[in-house]
Amino acid sequence: MAGNSFGKIFKLSTFGESHGPAIGGIIDGCPSGLLLNQELIRYEMKRRRPGQSALSTPRIEADDYEILSGVYEGKTLGTPIGFIIRNQDYRPSDYEALKDVYRPSHADFTYQEKYGFRDHRGGGRSSARETASWVFAGSVARQLLPLTEIMAFVSAVGPVTFSGSYEEGDRNKIDSSPVRCPDEGSSAKMIAFIESLKKSGDSTGGVITCVIRNCPAGLGEPVFRKLQSKLAAACLSINAAHGFEYGSGFAGASGKGSEFNDAFRVSDGKVITATNHSGGIQGGISNGMDIYFRVAFKPVSTISMEQQTVNSSGENVILKASGRHDPCVVPRAVPVVEALAALTLADLMLEHRCSRL
Amino acid sequence: MAGNSFGKIFKLSTFGESHGPAIGGIIDGCPSGLLLNQELIRYEMKRRRPGQSALSTPRIEADDYEILSGVYEGKTLGTPIGFIIRNQDYRPSDYEALKDVYRPSHADFTYQEKYGFRDHRGGGRSSARETASWVFAGSVARQLLPLTEIMAFVSAVGPVTFSGSYEEGDRNKIDSSPVRCPDEGSSAKMIAFIESLKKSGDSTGGVITCVIRNCPAGLGEPVFRKLQSKLAAACLSINAAHGFEYGSGFAGASGKGSEFNDAFRVSDGKVITATNHSGGIQGGISNGMDIYFRVAFKPVSTISMEQQTVNSSGENVILKASGRHDPCVVPRAVPVVEALAALTLADLMLEHRCSRL
Amino acid sequence: MAGNSFGKIFKLSTFGESHGPAIGGIIDGCPSGLLLNQELIRYEMKRRRPGQSALSTPRIEADDYEILSGVYEGKTLGTPIGFIIRNQDYRPSDYEALKDVYRPSHADFTYQEKYGFRDHRGGGRSSARETASWVFAGSVARQLLPLTEIMAFVSAVGPVTFSGSYEEGDRNKIDSSPVRCPDEGSSAKMIAFIESLKKSGDSTGGVITCVIRNCPAGLGEPVFRKLQSKLAAACLSINAAHGFEYGSGFAGASGKGSEFNDAFRVSDGKVITATNHSGGIQGGISNGMDIYFRVAFKPVSTISMEQQTVNSSGENVILKASGRHDPCVVPRAVPVVEALAALTLADLMLEHRCSRL
Amino acid sequence: MAGNSFGKIFKLSTFGESHGPAIGGIIDGCPSGLLLNQELIRYEMKRRRPGQSALSTPRIEADDYEILSGVYEGKTLGTPIGFIIRNQDYRPSDYEALKDVYRPSHADFTYQEKYGFRDHRGGGRSSARETASWVFAGSVARQLLPLTEIMAFVSAVGPVTFSGSYEEGDRNKIDSSPVRCPDEGSSAKMIAFIESLKKSGDSTGGVITCVIRNCPAGLGEPVFRKLQSKLAAACLSINAAHGFEYGSGFAGASGKGSEFNDAFRVSDGKVITATNHSGGIQGGISNGMDIYFRVAFKPVSTISMEQQTVNSSGENVILKASGRHDPCVVPRAVPVVEALAALTLADLMLEHRCSRL
């Protein structure tokens, strides 16, 4: 497994199993001289951590991080920023019954096939606990782009969808909703749906919309490090993510060029596009307009109902899980999507410094 | 622009502008001892090249490649395979009128913003001509996976959709359709739609479905080189691609865990899943079931109708393009999607050799 | 600073300042299933750590490492191995006087020039304390190559040289010498020289010879990842290292081909070379013979004598250092050289798995 | 073999066998807007090419390169620069006798061991013909650093040494000497020695000194991409290179800190060092002083005398080579060393743009 790094210039490398002593990582390539705002980091970490509302997993993790290097007198040194987040509320005994059973649609079977050996406790390395490190690093990345706003929200929970566009993202409305949907009516229906699933022991998926405002033009490196490629690769690293689209996305496939082309216009001496079906990206490079994309998540794999599966002896068995879980992780994935977008942009922003003589 | 390489072990690096002397690339990391089947390479190259049917661009390119190194007495040496494809039917004069105008939804503006200077002829480096190199390299990659079948087809052209599942892919039916759709009825409707667009000077998009059969379990490197991340990043490198989903994709977001989990079963001593909403990938690693994914393409940006845009002097102008183009590139993107899937799998297959002691 | 990783498949990334809370790193790409021998790790760590003899720095560091991930039930999981080593005996106040002064031949000035800001305490990131992480990781790497012996020793301390060849390396003799020289007579002279320097507040350099026995043929990736290139790059990462040579090295430059060519011979059905001026490497690839190389170290920069220098206000000043230091670090660099050789070989050994079909 | 790329931002990837159709490469990451001086490229190419004097190989290669992309209207586009150099005077029949024999101290045996298959003609990929591509790319790199002078010269041919320091490098004197040594007396002795070797069918090695003047401070990325590490790795990629030292090098190992420390001084408001034993590099980062280093080359492996060796059937045989060769390649390696230094600096110069906020 040599795929635990993200980024080329601003590079995050991570480690950690869900029920080992700690998770953490190293940010290499953060420029020197950044006065790190730790309030912002703690705010983002808090948004992601479990146990925030009655809707999510009861696992309690303070998610207190410790910065071990790379910051001196409050400022980044330009040297690698090492950080760890101790695992606290881990209960390996919860997972004893799962030692020899492959949970359906989890990574248990594939890790066993790939490595011949695995840490079965809470999914080990495949757990979404990993995303705490991403949020930490994303929050540092974000501070390199102080003028750029990165905002994600829940636009669907199971069959309940919020049909508003990316332009309706509003940080206050999002954060005041337990499901992080900016629309109150949709929000209420999403909550009701999640509560009904909780009772039945079932789960669901959803969709997150992310918009990036005030992103400078020029980010993205053709042809294999296009902005959309890096965003998609990042978002599909999130557990349960099964789809990514930007701009006109899948819907645009059915239209015509005469409807979907974005006419350039000059406005106040600045080149803009009259519409934004391109989603702020053309030829793999940001064009200065709003960047927006959507990420689809499949239903959570952990459910409390009985399921058919196989054990490591190759026998068909019945599984009834008892571990803690969220019926819908999509609201908690909102800060994760933002973090990955920030990591992607910070990396490409630094790389872009090398584009011209 | 330092993003012109794809892959870590089996690595493709490419170069070339649409109307320069040649395009080409280097495959580094191809194992030694592969008896290269050049018939297969020519077959794939021919499937991609322009001028194949009345539906596509009239630009004629033989797309004859020349292998400059890495192959001796018909076999790969383990050394880099250098190859070039000369540009022949280039008509820079066709583009003289576009020198100072930004074509809507093309990469003209963003290249200018990023580099301060660009080759305007046929889009320069941003042209889909680049994909000829991918198809060459993909065909080599494919030969490293002789037991694995990689097959893509067109599942939508504009509003005309083929609703069959990934399981209905059939190489003969696909190749006998001018639009590469395995369903005759849908195929006819797609052709009619494209012809109508040709008359009106308009364009459309579409969707490609790809299925990979007999892929070994274990490919994909958690957590940032997951199989789906690499496939998505690859496919979103294709010009006009705006969306990627695998397995249950966006549709799965609205379902429940109890419906979408894939129960493991033992069948003939082998672990399989009863359903395949996971799309053959769990935890970022192939599980041995069919891998399938879909790629959405926006409508082709080049249309013959008048469009509003801006020139490099910052003035609003009217553009009426006269360059050659396809009203719908999706059928020609079929071998490109297959090539990128092959490149992704070959790279991860080699990397997987290092997973265990 | 995005250069804190070493290796491509077996990859070490490190972090940490000399007087921050901790140093540490991540090993990504260690294959699964390795039963980790922690006795060996502690043995190597102990060989490197300060305070081992009256000859070296009085800084006391237990160098207890904590493994945070990647190992379960004693075996590697194939997931990243995160580890930290807390700094204990740090005395930032020792360095208060150095805050605004550039120590001659240290990295103070260049870090200030590069980053515009630095942690002056003990050299911050530029301290040789970093090498503790290398020794930890090198000891893991070594266990991937159980049949290969990697052995370094001191062949010169200042003007005192041991003229024996690489073949005279013997682990017991090396470890029983306080200066890690396998020859008793030379050893005694080296000790006497270091003690005289200690009294005068001066320092010296030296040379380390390293021999690698039973290395499989085939390691090294032409043309830019040749075995000698990777070994040289690794060894010149060590603080104070100023030269690297392998095989016939600088001395060979003055000879003739007829004297220095290594004739191939068949011996017991195996191809060997009659002499070994190639140092076990031909065309950048190991040939199965002993690999040997030498690393030159300049005198330690920290001395107790008065020195002329410049402060951060741009004034010429006199510096008299009072921090703790070694008059000769070469003996302590022996396990560091071995660790870097092990990291290099483990990485190339895994990469070599991809050389053939 | 996945090691055919050099550099991270300014990245050269190469391909080609000595007797295949062509060699060449891709420069990815060259910034846009560089007005390429092709006179300079041709000048450098000419300095390296064979057949320049009676002293070197009679193989005649015009070494005309063709630029295939990345340059438009004389300026770099920021897109990859593809280039090829056709092989012309290749005589595969010269090598027929060598098909099944391993030439002593060549890469024949190790390539066979690594890949199980090789192109025996002229060493295939292991030939120094590869360096033509490096010189091409190095000449482009150099133009990114117009104020920095990179100058190498021959300081030893076999036992004949020029004892002058790096400061005595002078372009005119170097270029007017057939052996590229700036000292006339030494030059004459070197020539005489090479001529005597030519007669006896023998060969020799030598040493190249390189000095880099006016290099900006701040280049080099601690801790594993230190400037000296990258220079050493680059230079040890050259065929026959067996040693690298910078600054005080091996000689410095025998001295004392009080003699070898470089005192900082303020001169005309600029910080300089009174001496330069550090070789312009401290802590892996350039300090603004002259950078200098030396590279040792073993004697050329190809000699005309009879040698003992082994064939591919595992039999001891006698080899008497008849291929063309240089008795001493060191003079021709001068532009190669310069090219690699330029590639290293250009890459680190671009990376340094990301060091600070």
Side-chain angles (χ1 to χ4, degrees):
Chain A
M1 189 193 277
N4 295 282
S5 294
F6 184 81
K8 181 177 166 186
I9 310 281
F10 187 95
K11 186 166 68 168
L12 172 66
S13 300
T14 63
F15 67 84
E17 275 75 47
S18 179
H19 288 69
I23 61 168
I26 303 173
I27 301 170
D28 198 10
C30 183
S32 67
L34 176 67
L35 190 63
L36 213 57
N37 184 335
Q38 300 217 27
E39 283 301 307
L40 287 180
I41 300 177
R42 278 189 289 266
Y43 165 73
E44 295 298 338
M45 295 293 283
K46 194 177 159 194
R47 289 180 84 210
R48 193 216 68 94
R49 77 179 174 80
Q52 298 172 82
S53 84
L55 295 174
S56 77
T57 173
R59 177 171 177 171
I60 306 296
E61 288 288 352
D63 279 357
D64 287 330
Y65 60 83
E66 183 185 8
I67 294 178
L68 300 172
S69 66
V71 180
Y72 178 57
E73 297 182 343
K75 282 196 298 183
T76 57
L77 282 164
T79 64
I81 301 171
F83 63 94
I84 58 171
I85 303 164
R86 296 270 169 192
N87 291 324
Q88 296 178 319
D89 183 21
Y90 53 94
R91 310 185 195 166
S93 59
D94 282 13
Y95 295 93
E96 204 51 40
L98 296 172
K99 187 156 192 176
D100 299 313
V101 178
Y102 302 133
R103 292 169 300 161
S105 290
H106 272 279
D108 301 346
F109 172 72
T110 50
Y111 269 62
Q112 187 68 34
E113 283 289 297
K114 186 172 187 72
Y115 302 111
F117 175 58
R118 73 193 162 96
D119 177 356
H120 68 283
R121 302 167 304 165
R125 180 77 183 136
S126 73
S127 164
R129 175 133 187 77
E130 159 76 6
T131 59
S133 294
W134 306 355
V135 170
F136 171 87
S139 184
V140 176
R142 211 162 186 148
Q143 299 185 36
L144 290 172
L145 303 150
L147 302 177
T148 301
E149 182 186 28
I150 301 171
M151 187 172 52
F153 57 85
V154 172
S155 47
V157 164
V160 187
T161 59
F162 163 54
S163 56
S165 93
Y166 70 89
E167 292 176 307
E168 296 180 51
D170 175 303
R171 178 70 75 181
N172 288 332
K173 289 182 184 170
I174 294 166
D175 275 5
S176 62
S177 157
V179 288
R180 297 212 168 99
C181 173
D183 179 66
E184 270 188 57
S186 307
S187 206
K189 284 181 208 157
M190 290 171 180
I191 293 167
F193 185 65
I194 294 174
E195 282 171 346
S196 75
L197 293 169
K198 208 169 181 182
K199 277 178 201 140
S200 61
D202 212 338
S203 69
T204 195
V207 178
I208 288 176
T209 297
C210 184
V211 56
I212 302 168
R213 293 173 180 143
N214 286 320
C215 178
L219 308 196
E221 298 293 314
V223 298
F224 291 117
R225 288 175 52 76
K226 285 175 172 153
L227 179 44
Q228 68 269 35
S229 283
K230 301 316 285 179
L231 286 172
C235 291
L236 286 168
S237 300
I238 309 174
N239 308 50
H242 267 239
F244 173 93
E245 60 179 8
Y246 77 101
S248 56
F250 276 88
S254 59
K256 294 181 181 174
S258 57
E259 300 155 0
F260 277 86
N261 277 1
D262 295 318
F264 286 109
R265 295 283 82 190
V266 172
S267 167
D268 291 336
K270 204 180 158 236
V271 175
I272 60 162
T273 61
T275 51
N276 187 14
H277 298 111
S278 300
I281 306 174
Q282 292 174 329
I285 301 168
S286 62
N287 68 0
M289 302 296 291
D290 286 351
I291 296 165
Y292 62 96
F293 59 86
R294 286 166 24 105
V295 186
F297 294 84
K298 69 167 185 181
V300 170
S301 300
T302 303
I303 56 177
S304 305
M305 297 153 136
E306 279 191 359
Q307 295 183 89
Q308 293 190 312
T309 192
V310 163
N311 65 19
S312 57
S313 311
E315 297 159 331
N316 288 324
V317 294
I318 297 293
L319 167 74
K320 194 163 181 333
S322 60
R324 298 160 297 181
H325 67 276
D326 286 340
C328 180
V329 294
V330 179
R332 281 182 57 211
V334 163
V336 177
V337 167
E338 292 180 358
L340 291 170
L343 288 167
T344 303
L345 293 180
D347 189 38
L348 293 174
M349 178 271 287
L350 289 170
E351 192 164 6
H352 181 43
R353 291 188 183 178
C354 302
S355 297
R356 298 192 190 190
L357 195 59
Chain B
M1 189 193 276
N4 295 282
S5 295
F6 184 81
K8 181 177 166 185
I9 310 282
F10 186 95
K11 186 166 68 168
L12 171 67
S13 300
T14 62
F15 67 84
E17 274 76 47
S18 179
H19 288 68
I23 61 168
I26 302 172
I27 301 171
D28 197 10
C30 185
S32 67
L34 176 68
L35 191 61
L36 212 57
N37 184 334
Q38 299 215 27
E39 283 302 307
L40 287 180
I41 300 176
R42 277 188 289 266
Y43 165 73
E44 296 297 338
M45 295 294 282
K46 195 178 158 193
R47 291 179 84 211
R48 192 217 69 94
R49 77 180 174 80
Q52 297 172 83
S53 84
L55 295 174
S56 77
T57 172
R59 176 170 177 170
I60 306 296
E61 287 288 351
D63 278 357
D64 289 329
Y65 60 83
E66 183 187 7
I67 294 179
L68 301 172
S69 66
V71 181
Y72 177 57
E73 297 181 343
K75 283 197 297 183
T76 57
L77 283 165
T79 63
I81 301 170
F83 63 95
I84 58 171
I85 303 163
R86 295 269 170 194
N87 291 323
Q88 297 179 318
D89 183 21
Y90 54 94
R91 308 183 196 168
S93 58
D94 281 13
Y95 296 93
E96 204 52 40
L98 297 172
K99 187 156 191 174
D100 299 313
V101 178
Y102 302 133
R103 291 169 300 161
S105 290
H106 272 279
D108 301 345
F109 172 72
T110 50
Y111 269 62
Q112 188 68 36
E113 283 289 297
K114 186 172 186 72
Y115 303 110
F117 174 59
R118 72 192 163 96
D119 177 356
H120 69 283
R121 301 166 304 166
R125 180 77 184 137
S126 73
S127 165
R129 176 134 186 76
E130 159 77 6
T131 60
S133 293
W134 307 355
V135 170
F136 172 87
S139 185
V140 176
R142 210 160 185 147
Q143 299 185 35
L144 290 172
L145 302 152
L147 302 177
T148 301
E149 183 185 29
I150 301 170
M151 187 171 52
F153 57 85
V154 171
S155 46
V157 165
V160 186
T161 59
F162 163 53
S163 57
S165 93
Y166 70 91
E167 292 175 307
E168 295 179 51
D170 175 302
R171 178 71 75 180
N172 289 331
K173 289 183 184 169
I174 295 166
D175 275 4
S176 62
S177 158
V179 287
R180 298 212 168 97
C181 172
D183 180 66
E184 270 189 57
S186 307
S187 207
K189 284 182 209 157
M190 290 170 180
I191 293 167
F193 184 65
I194 294 173
E195 281 171 346
S196 75
L197 293 169
K198 208 169 181 183
K199 277 178 202 140
S200 61
D202 212 338
S203 69
T204 195
V207 177
I208 288 176
T209 297
C210 184
V211 57
I212 302 168
R213 294 171 180 144
N214 286 320
C215 178
L219 308 196
E221 299 292 315
V223 299
F224 290 116
R225 287 174 54 77
K226 285 175 171 153
L227 179 44
Q228 68 270 34
S229 282
K230 301 316 286 179
L231 286 172
C235 291
L236 287 169
S237 300
I238 309 173
N239 308 51
H242 267 239
F244 174 93
E245 59 179 8
Y246 76 101
S248 56
F250 275 89
S254 59
K256 294 181 181 175
S258 56
E259 300 155 0
F260 276 87
N261 275 2
D262 294 320
F264 286 110
R265 295 284 81 190
V266 173
S267 167
D268 291 335
K270 205 181 156 233
V271 175
I272 60 162
T273 61
T275 51
N276 187 15
H277 299 111
S278 299
I281 306 174
Q282 292 174 328
I285 300 168
S286 62
N287 67 0
M289 302 297 291
D290 287 351
I291 295 165
Y292 62 97
F293 59 86
R294 286 163 28 101
V295 186
F297 295 83
K298 70 167 185 180
V300 170
S301 300
T302 304
I303 57 178
S304 305
M305 296 152 137
E306 279 191 0
Q307 296 182 88
Q308 292 190 312
T309 192
V310 163
N311 65 19
S312 57
S313 310
E315 297 159 331
N316 288 324
V317 294
I318 297 294
L319 167 74
K320 194 164 181 332
S322 60
R324 299 161 297 182
H325 67 276
D326 287 339
C328 180
V329 293
V330 178
R332 281 183 57 212
V334 163
V336 177
V337 167
E338 292 181 358
L340 291 171
L343 288 168
T344 303
L345 292 181
D347 189 38
L348 293 174
M349 178 271 286
L350 290 170
E351 190 166 5
H352 180 45
R353 291 187 182 179
C354 303
S355 297
R356 298 192 190 192
L357 197 57
Chain C
M1 190 194 275
N4 295 282
S5 294
F6 183 82
K8 181 176 166 186
I9 310 281
F10 186 95
K11 186 167 66 169
L12 171 66
S13 300
T14 62
F15 67 84
E17 273 75 48
S18 178
H19 288 68
I23 61 168
I26 302 173
I27 300 170
D28 198 9
C30 184
S32 67
L34 176 68
L35 191 62
L36 213 57
N37 184 333
Q38 300 216 26
E39 282 302 307
L40 286 180
I41 300 176
R42 277 188 290 266
Y43 166 72
E44 295 298 339
M45 295 293 283
K46 194 177 159 195
R47 290 180 83 211
R48 192 216 68 94
R49 78 180 174 80
Q52 298 171 83
S53 83
L55 295 174
S56 77
T57 172
R59 177 171 177 171
I60 306 297
E61 287 288 352
D63 278 358
D64 288 329
Y65 60 84
E66 183 184 9
I67 294 178
L68 300 172
S69 67
V71 180
Y72 178 57
E73 298 180 344
K75 283 197 297 184
T76 57
L77 283 164
T79 62
I81 301 171
F83 64 94
I84 58 171
I85 303 163
R86 294 272 169 191
N87 291 324
Q88 296 179 320
D89 182 21
Y90 53 94
R91 311 186 193 164
S93 57
D94 282 12
Y95 296 94
E96 204 51 41
L98 297 172
K99 189 157 191 174
D100 299 312
V101 177
Y102 302 133
R103 291 170 300 161
S105 290
H106 272 280
D108 300 346
F109 172 71
T110 51
Y111 269 61
Q112 187 69 34
E113 282 290 295
K114 186 172 185 73
Y115 302 110
F117 175 58
R118 72 191 164 99
D119 178 355
H120 68 284
R121 301 167 303 167
R125 180 77 184 137
S126 74
S127 165
R129 175 131 187 78
E130 159 75 7
T131 60
S133 293
W134 306 356
V135 171
F136 171 87
S139 184
V140 175
R142 211 163 186 146
Q143 300 186 34
L144 290 172
L145 302 152
L147 302 177
T148 302
E149 183 186 28
I150 301 170
M151 186 171 55
F153 58 84
V154 171
S155 46
V157 164
V160 186
T161 58
F162 162 55
S163 57
S165 93
Y166 70 90
E167 292 176 307
E168 296 180 50
D170 176 303
R171 178 72 75 182
N172 288 332
K173 289 183 184 168
I174 295 165
D175 276 4
S176 62
S177 157
V179 287
R180 298 214 167 95
C181 173
D183 180 67
E184 269 188 59
S186 307
S187 207
K189 285 182 208 156
M190 290 171 181
I191 292 167
F193 185 66
I194 294 174
E195 281 171 348
S196 76
L197 293 169
K198 209 169 179 182
K199 276 178 203 139
S200 61
D202 211 338
S203 69
T204 194
V207 178
I208 288 176
T209 297
C210 183
V211 56
I212 302 170
R213 293 172 180 145
N214 286 320
C215 179
L219 308 197
E221 300 291 314
V223 297
F224 291 116
R225 287 173 54 74
K226 285 175 171 153
L227 180 44
Q228 69 270 34
S229 283
K230 301 315 286 180
L231 286 173
C235 292
L236 286 169
S237 300
I238 309 174
N239 307 51
H242 266 239
F244 173 93
E245 60 179 6
Y246 76 101
S248 55
F250 275 88
S254 60
K256 294 182 182 175
S258 56
E259 299 154 0
F260 277 87
N261 276 2
D262 295 319
F264 286 110
R265 295 284 82 191
V266 173
S267 166
D268 292 335
K270 205 180 157 237
V271 175
I272 60 162
T273 60
T275 49
N276 187 15
H277 298 111
S278 299
I281 306 173
Q282 292 174 327
I285 301 169
S286 62
N287 67 1
M289 301 298 290
D290 286 351
I291 295 165
Y292 62 96
F293 59 86
R294 288 166 22 105
V295 187
F297 293 84
K298 68 167 186 181
V300 170
S301 300
T302 304
I303 56 177
S304 305
M305 297 153 135
E306 278 191 0
Q307 295 182 88
Q308 291 190 313
T309 191
V310 162
N311 64 18
S312 57
S313 310
E315 298 159 330
N316 288 325
V317 295
I318 297 294
L319 167 74
K320 192 164 182 332
S322 60
R324 299 162 295 182
H325 67 276
D326 286 340
C328 180
V329 294
V330 178
R332 281 182 57 211
V334 163
V336 176
V337 167
E338 292 181 359
L340 290 171
L343 288 168
T344 302
L345 291 180
D347 190 38
L348 292 174
M349 179 270 288
L350 290 170
E351 191 165 6
H352 181 45
R353 291 187 182 178
C354 302
S355 297
R356 298 191 190 192
L357 195 59
Chain D
M1 189 193 277
N4 295 281
S5 294
F6 184 81
K8 180 176 168 188
I9 309 282
F10 187 94
K11 187 167 66 170
L12 171 67
S13 300
T14 63
F15 66 84
E17 274 76 47
S18 178
H19 288 69
I23 61 168
I26 302 173
I27 301 171
D28 198 9
C30 183
S32 66
L34 176 68
L35 190 62
L36 213 57
N37 184 335
Q38 300 216 26
E39 282 302 307
L40 287 179
I41 300 177
R42 276 188 290 267
Y43 165 72
E44 296 297 340
M45 295 293 282
K46 195 177 159 194
R47 291 180 83 210
R48 191 215 69 94
R49 79 180 175 79
Q52 296 171 85
S53 83
L55 295 173
S56 76
T57 172
R59 177 170 177 170
I60 306 297
E61 288 287 352
D63 279 356
D64 288 330
Y65 60 84
E66 183 186 8
I67 293 178
L68 301 172
S69 66
V71 180
Y72 178 57
E73 297 181 342
K75 282 196 298 182
T76 58
L77 282 164
T79 63
I81 300 170
F83 64 94
I84 58 172
I85 303 163
R86 296 271 169 191
N87 291 324
Q88 297 179 319
D89 182 20
Y90 54 95
R91 310 185 193 166
S93 58
D94 282 12
Y95 296 94
E96 204 51 41
L98 297 172
K99 187 158 192 173
D100 300 312
V101 178
Y102 302 133
R103 291 169 300 162
S105 291
H106 271 280
D108 300 346
F109 172 72
T110 50
Y111 269 62
Q112 188 69 34
E113 283 289 296
K114 186 173 185 72
Y115 302 111
F117 175 59
R118 73 193 162 97
D119 178 356
H120 68 284
R121 301 167 305 167
R125 180 76 185 138
S126 73
S127 164
R129 176 132 187 78
E130 159 76 7
T131 60
S133 293
W134 307 356
V135 170
F136 172 87
S139 184
V140 176
R142 210 161 185 147
Q143 300 185 35
L144 290 172
L145 302 151
L147 302 177
T148 301
E149 183 186 27
I150 301 171
M151 186 171 55
F153 58 84
V154 171
S155 46
V157 164
V160 186
T161 59
F162 163 54
S163 56
S165 93
Y166 70 90
E167 291 175 308
E168 296 180 51
D170 176 302
R171 179 71 76 181
N172 288 331
K173 290 183 183 167
I174 295 166
D175 276 5
S176 63
S177 157
V179 288
R180 297 214 167 96
C181 172
D183 179 67
E184 270 188 58
S186 308
S187 207
K189 286 182 207 156
M190 290 171 181
I191 292 168
F193 185 65
I194 293 174
E195 281 171 347
S196 75
L197 293 169
K198 208 169 181 182
K199 278 179 201 138
S200 61
D202 211 339
S203 68
T204 196
V207 178
I208 288 176
T209 298
C210 184
V211 56
I212 302 168
R213 293 173 180 143
N214 286 321
C215 179
L219 307 196
E221 299 292 314
V223 299
F224 290 116
R225 287 174 55 73
K226 285 174 172 153
L227 180 43
Q228 69 268 35
S229 283
K230 302 315 286 180
L231 286 172
C235 291
L236 287 169
S237 300
I238 308 173
N239 308 52
H242 267 239
F244 173 93
E245 60 179 7
Y246 76 101
S248 55
F250 276 88
S254 59
K256 293 182 182 176
S258 56
E259 300 154 359
F260 276 86
N261 275 2
D262 294 320
F264 287 110
R265 296 282 82 190
V266 173
S267 166
D268 291 335
K270 206 181 157 237
V271 175
I272 61 162
T273 61
T275 51
N276 187 14
H277 298 111
S278 300
I281 306 174
Q282 292 174 327
I285 301 168
S286 62
N287 69 0
M289 301 298 290
D290 285 352
I291 295 166
Y292 62 97
F293 58 88
R294 286 165 26 105
V295 187
F297 294 84
K298 69 167 185 181
V300 170
S301 300
T302 303
I303 57 178
S304 305
M305 297 152 136
E306 278 191 0
Q307 296 182 87
Q308 292 189 312
T309 190
V310 163
N311 65 18
S312 58
S313 310
E315 298 159 332
N316 288 324
V317 296
I318 297 293
L319 167 74
K320 191 164 183 332
S322 61
R324 299 161 297 182
H325 67 276
D326 286 339
C328 180
V329 293
V330 178
R332 281 182 57 213
V334 163
V336 177
V337 167
E338 292 181 359
L340 292 170
L343 288 168
T344 302
L345 292 181
D347 190 37
L348 293 173
M349 178 270 288
L350 289 170
E351 191 165 6
H352 181 44
R353 291 188 183 177
C354 302
S355 297
R356 299 191 189 191
L357 194 61

